[in-house]
Amino acid sequence: MPLKKWFAAIYLMSTEVTGISSVQMAKHLKIEQNTAWYIMQKLRFAMSGCDSIGLLGGIVEIDETFLGAVKTKDKRLAFKVYLKRKKRIQMEAEGLTERDNRLKRLEMKTVRKGNKKKARPTLKAIFNDLPYISRELLRDWEVRNIMYQPLHYKKNVVGIVERNIFDSNGKLLKLGRLRLTKMGRHKGDLTRVNVQPFIEENVSRSSHIMTDDNRIYRKLPEIFQQHSVIKHSQSGVNQQFAKHADGEVTTNYIENVWKHLKKVENGTYIHYSWKYTQCYLDEFTFRFNRRESKPLVLFQDLFSLTIGKTISRKEMVGIQGKYYYYPKGAEEMNY
């Protein structure tokens, strides 16, 4: 690959605000799409860890979000969900709550035909023709955990961002930095045990932490100097008491980060797998932390990061991307 094309790829990846897809990169460089993707993955590997030095301080906002396709809007994903559920029923790999909810839906739903209501077919009638597969197939550890994990259409991401610091005249003194990490593919992975170590590794103890009223942050006042909470979870009758800002206490800055991150995912890349999610998060973090820099400075920063870093295609493909979900009470059930 000529160096000119490498320099062009570095410039495009570092200066495009919303990122650039491998298809568009291939058109600019006049190469194949898979070659462009390989080049971009190497550059993302160079970006990884470049902004993880030092602790975040001052006023720091922490929040979590979910990325990935939405089941109600993606027909292909909805069809995969249907097949996954069907296979789970065949192999008797449903959880107790999942099975009870499905039975309740089948019993409660009715079909209106004219002026009469006709009950839907029973569970036995629907799945009578499905072949029965013995539970012995679930003895294998890998097969068992793949079948027990929930339907995957989410990528959990935890973010930490520090606010900009201005002087009395409104001049920018310090640009706030951002840290992002993926945290499992199921909502149950967003626990205090998983999230709190990431916060402690990246935030100074003298910082002022601002979060929403999620329970995973309830131990932070014992660790950090100050912790402020803004209530987002009010619903129903108490919806009028829900707040997004209470003076300086707000998480709107990190919410703005989520807005741009989801636009980049849905508008530029359309889809990226769970396996390489952290690579795309590192790319977004690199540009966000240099949002006030000029294009030449961005090019120089990324070019300097590529020196001395190598990764082969075998190592890139071999990145651990498998994820296994262990159901609650798995230890008691000898799973």
Side-chain angles (χ1 to χ4, degrees):
M1 184 68 61
L3 281 177
K4 290 183 178 179
K5 293 189 177 183
W6 276 99
F7 293 154
I10 293 173
Y11 181 83
L12 290 172
M13 280 201 68
S14 59
T15 56
E16 288 289 342
V17 178
T18 58
I20 182 171
S21 65
S22 58
V23 176
Q24 193 66 26
M25 180 72 75
K27 291 181 180 179
H28 286 305
L29 303 183
K30 297 182 179 179
I31 56 178
E32 294 184 359
Q33 183 270 336
N34 56 351
T35 306
W37 180 87
Y38 181 56
I39 291 174
M40 297 174 71
Q41 283 295 103
K42 280 200 166 189
L43 296 178
R44 293 187 183 105
F45 173 75
M47 294 177 184
S48 62
C50 64
D51 295 321
S52 60
I53 301 175
L55 298 176
L56 305 182
I59 300 178
V60 179
E61 298 182 12
I62 306 173
D63 197 18
E64 70 286 340
T65 190
F66 304 103
L67 302 179
V70 181
K71 183 175 62 174
T72 56
K73 296 182 181 180
D74 194 329
K75 294 182 178 179
R76 295 171 298 176
L77 182 61
F79 183 68
K80 290 181 180 179
V81 168
Y82 168 75
L83 294 180
K84 181 73 174 180
R85 285 176 176 169
K86 185 177 178 180
K87 193 171 183 180
R88 283 164 66 91
I89 295 171
Q90 288 178 340
M91 299 186 71
E92 296 184 350
E94 287 182 300
L96 297 178
T97 305
E98 182 182 359
R99 184 184 62 186
D100 292 341
N101 292 338
R102 177 166 55 82
L103 292 174
K104 288 180 182 179
R105 287 195 300 269
L106 288 173
E107 292 175 359
M108 293 174 60
K109 289 186 177 179
T110 56
V111 179
R112 181 178 293 275
K113 189 174 182 180
N115 297 328
K116 298 181 180 180
K117 291 184 178 180
K118 184 179 179 181
R120 284 197 173 196
T122 61
L123 178 68
K124 183 178 179 180
I126 294 177
F127 298 105
N128 188 32
D129 297 332
L130 296 178
Y132 175 77
I133 301 177
S134 175
R135 202 176 183 83
E136 299 294 326
L137 293 176
L138 297 177
R139 281 186 174 182
D140 183 67
W141 182 87
E142 185 172 355
V143 174
R144 181 174 69 248
N145 285 281
I146 288 177
M147 289 308 303
Y148 268 98
Q149 59 191 351
L151 305 169
H152 297 323
Y153 52 91
K154 288 181 181 178
K155 307 182 187 82
N156 300 343
V157 177
V158 178
I160 306 174
V161 63
E162 58 182 2
R163 292 186 185 176
N164 301 334
I165 299 177
F166 301 90
D167 60 5
S168 58
N169 297 325
K171 183 179 179 181
L172 181 65
L173 298 178
K174 182 182 177 182
L175 195 65
R177 294 170 294 171
L178 173 69
R179 305 276 171 85
L180 297 176
T181 184
K182 63 180 184 179
M183 194 73 64
R185 300 181 64 178
H186 186 260
K187 191 174 181 180
D189 295 322
L190 290 175
T191 61
R192 182 181 60 84
V193 178
N194 295 336
V195 176
Q196 187 168 313
F198 172 69
I199 299 174
E200 295 180 8
E201 293 174 2
N202 291 277
V203 182
S204 174
R205 297 296 187 273
S206 60
S207 303
H208 182 187
I209 306 296
M210 294 187 181
T211 64
D212 53 19
D213 53 344
N214 197 323
R215 295 183 62 188
I216 62 178
Y217 306 120
R218 64 182 181 273
K219 295 290 184 179
L220 295 184
E222 303 176 4
I223 303 172
F224 298 97
Q225 183 176 356
Q226 189 175 358
H227 179 216
S228 300
V229 178
I230 186 72
K231 291 188 177 181
H232 288 168
S233 61
Q234 301 290 349
S235 60
V237 180
N238 297 325
Q239 183 64 37
Q240 56 181 338
F241 301 108
K243 295 182 180 179
H244 296 281
D246 186 6
E248 292 185 353
V249 181
T250 180
T251 57
N252 287 342
Y253 196 16
I254 188 68
E255 295 289 350
N256 183 51
V257 172
W258 298 143
K259 178 182 178 181
H260 289 283
L261 178 60
K262 291 179 180 181
K263 281 188 175 181
V264 169
E265 181 197 21
N266 299 327
T268 303
Y269 301 115
I270 309 301
H271 168 75
Y272 47 80
S273 65
W274 159 258
K275 185 176 182 179
Y276 301 108
T277 296
Q278 190 61 47
C279 300
Y280 288 88
L281 295 179
D282 293 336
E283 178 190 359
F284 180 84
T285 303
F286 173 84
R287 285 194 296 266
F288 183 87
N289 291 339
R290 294 163 181 79
R291 54 193 179 277
E292 298 293 336
S293 301
K294 295 182 179 180
L296 181 60
V297 177
L298 292 172
F299 172 81
Q300 292 174 348
D301 289 349
L302 182 53
F303 179 75
S304 62
L305 292 174
T306 60
I307 299 175
K309 285 192 176 182
T310 58
I311 181 172
S312 63
R313 184 182 292 270
K314 184 178 180 180
E315 294 173 344
M316 186 181 302
V317 176
I319 295 175
Q320 294 297 324
K322 288 186 178 180
Y323 169 75
Y324 296 106
Y325 170 69
Y326 299 92
K328 293 182 179 180
E331 297 179 357
E332 293 78 359
M333 299 172 70
N334 296 324
Y335 287 139

